[in-house]
Amino acid sequence: HVLMASYPYNPPENRYNFYPHSLRNMDELCASIVRAHRETSQYRVEELQVLRWKLFSREEIQAYQIKSVDEMWQHCALRLTDAVQYVVEFAKHIPGFRMLTQNDQIALLKTGSMEVVLVRMSRFFNTENNTVFFDGKFARADLFKSLACGDLITAVFDFAHDMCALKLSEHQLALFSALVLINTDRPCLEDRGKVQRVQRTVELGLRYILQRDNQESLMHKLYQKMAVLRSLCSLHMEKLRWFSQRYPLTVHSLFPPLYKELFA
Ligand code: CLR
């Protein structure tokens, strides 16, 4: 298990083995999730703001577009795996996550890490020109043409656009990401009860900060987004199955082991 290897099981600090009865604990819980998000988010919002108008040139776009299908897939799989690794780091720092059985931690990451990457994509998205930060510059959907899965790319870009429209704060985004990850609806959970306790805590945390921000109506919209995420991820898996049927050797020998372990 690559995920296990990159993932030494440290006995948890028991500090957070609580069900937050007091607001003080609630503040602490939210603060640690926000910190975990900040420390694993690759770029700060201000840094991305500066890069916002750094677009690929026509020649650079073309260079991506004439790549072969398998070359471009391999390239994107690398970028995605990178992003997933940060999400794994994020997960490890969500209070309560390390208290789950190792099997359940892996089960949650298997289904949830890609969803969190897509939630995070909204931070890397410029809605004014519908571009995403990729390989150091901002790219429109047509740059990904050579992947030959236009419907997935369109759906992913639409989702990022819709997420941006919610204008979530970094705190809200952090708590929402944690809730996407800690989800009892995932298959193959061993100790659903334990996952449920952590899930309820994170959900309370999200409700708590939405209330504090006077934006309780967001909760309903965020649950709708969770449903969209699910369909995007099954579309991603469908595309991956299609790709690995056509290029089994590329997947076998050139895809990052973590990507294969999580999705293939
Ligand atoms: C998401 C937020 C992360 C940084 C990051 C890295 C890679 C990006 C990803 C973000 C968004 C989605 C992305 C991806 C690389 C390729 C992928 C642009 C910005 C597109 C949608 C192609 C998917 C192709 C698969 C079918 C292989 O913190």
Side-chain angles (χ1 to χ4, degrees):
H1 269 301
V2 189
L3 196 55
M4 304 266 257
S6 69
Y7 197 58
Y9 188 70
N10 303 323
E13 310 157 34
N14 246 11
R15 229 179 115 206
Y16 285 114
N17 199 1
F18 61 78
Y19 193 83
H21 294 291
S22 72
L23 289 184
R24 201 184 112 72
N25 282 349
M26 211 24 116
D27 274 327
E28 245 180 69
L29 170 90
C30 293
S32 20
I33 294 178
V34 170
R35 196 183 321 118
H37 170 76
R38 194 187 330 111
E39 283 168 5
T40 61
S41 58
Q42 294 173 268
Y43 286 84
R44 279 180 282 121
V45 185
E46 313 87 74
E47 291 176 302
L48 289 164
Q49 203 58 37
V50 178
L51 295 168
R52 240 174 129 67
W53 300 105
K54 210 172 144 184
L55 298 171
F56 283 110
S57 69
R58 197 184 298 277
E59 293 73 34
E60 289 171 318
I61 296 171
Q62 237 160 37
Y64 283 106
Q65 291 177 334
I66 61 173
K67 279 185 194 283
S68 62
V69 178
D70 60 328
E71 201 185 347
M72 188 63 176
W73 263 82
Q74 200 196 323
H75 186 79
C76 288
L78 274 172
R79 290 286 151 286
L80 278 172
T81 305
D82 237 26
V84 162
Q85 238 143 9
Y86 283 96
V87 173
V88 173
E89 263 332 288
F90 169 66
K92 289 197 228 171
H93 291 97
I94 298 173
F97 186 81
R98 283 163 180 248
M99 246 72 78
L100 305 174
T101 68
Q102 196 159 20
N103 173 75
D104 287 352
Q105 298 182 23
I106 290 169
L108 292 176
L109 284 166
K110 258 192 162 183
T111 40
S113 56
M114 183 66 179
E115 295 188 8
V116 174
V117 167
L118 293 177
V119 169
R120 286 177 160 210
M121 179 176 171
S122 61
R123 300 174 75 249
F124 294 79
F125 196 78
N126 183 350
T127 37
E128 283 159 85
N129 55 12
N130 288 313
T131 53
V132 67
F133 190 67
F134 169 78
D135 272 356
K137 292 185 185 174
F138 278 80
R140 240 178 286 279
D142 63 356
L143 180 137
F144 299 95
K145 211 166 72 178
S146 48
L147 289 170
C149 49
D151 50 348
L152 172 64
I153 301 298
T154 304
V156 164
F157 271 65
D158 285 349
F159 177 76
H161 192 276
D162 294 347
M163 274 303 293
C164 288
L166 297 181
K167 295 195 181 305
L168 299 186
S169 68
E170 282 290 285
H171 293 219
Q172 295 168 346
L173 204 62
L175 269 291
F176 179 54
S177 303
L179 190 60
V180 166
L181 212 52
I182 318 263
N183 193 329
T184 45
D185 297 340
R186 306 302 191 193
C188 307
L189 291 177
E190 221 166 44
D191 189 346
R192 213 165 282 274
K194 214 171 194 181
V195 177
Q196 188 159 60
R197 282 198 295 281
V198 182
Q199 180 186 4
R200 287 203 175 123
T201 311
V202 174
E203 192 181 42
L204 276 178
L206 180 57
R207 285 185 194 281
Y208 174 71
I209 61 160
L210 289 182
Q211 199 161 41
R212 194 191 59 191
D213 300 339
N214 249 312
Q215 290 193 289
E216 282 151 292
S217 60
L218 272 179
M219 200 66 190
H220 173 65
K221 293 183 185 155
L222 290 176
Y223 274 111
Q224 288 175 334
K225 294 291 170 255
M226 288 167 87
V228 181
L229 279 170
R230 214 157 278 203
S231 67
L232 287 177
C233 285
S234 49
L235 193 53
H236 169 235
M237 298 301 277
E238 199 181 294
K239 296 299 176 190
L240 179 60
R241 273 192 296 274
W242 164 84
F243 179 79
S244 33
Q245 257 166 29
R246 268 171 194 66
Y247 302 92
L249 288 175
T250 302
V251 175
H252 179 264
S253 47
L254 299 171
F255 269 34
L258 180 60
Y259 185 88
K260 276 189 287 187
E261 180 167 320
L262 288 176
F263 309 122

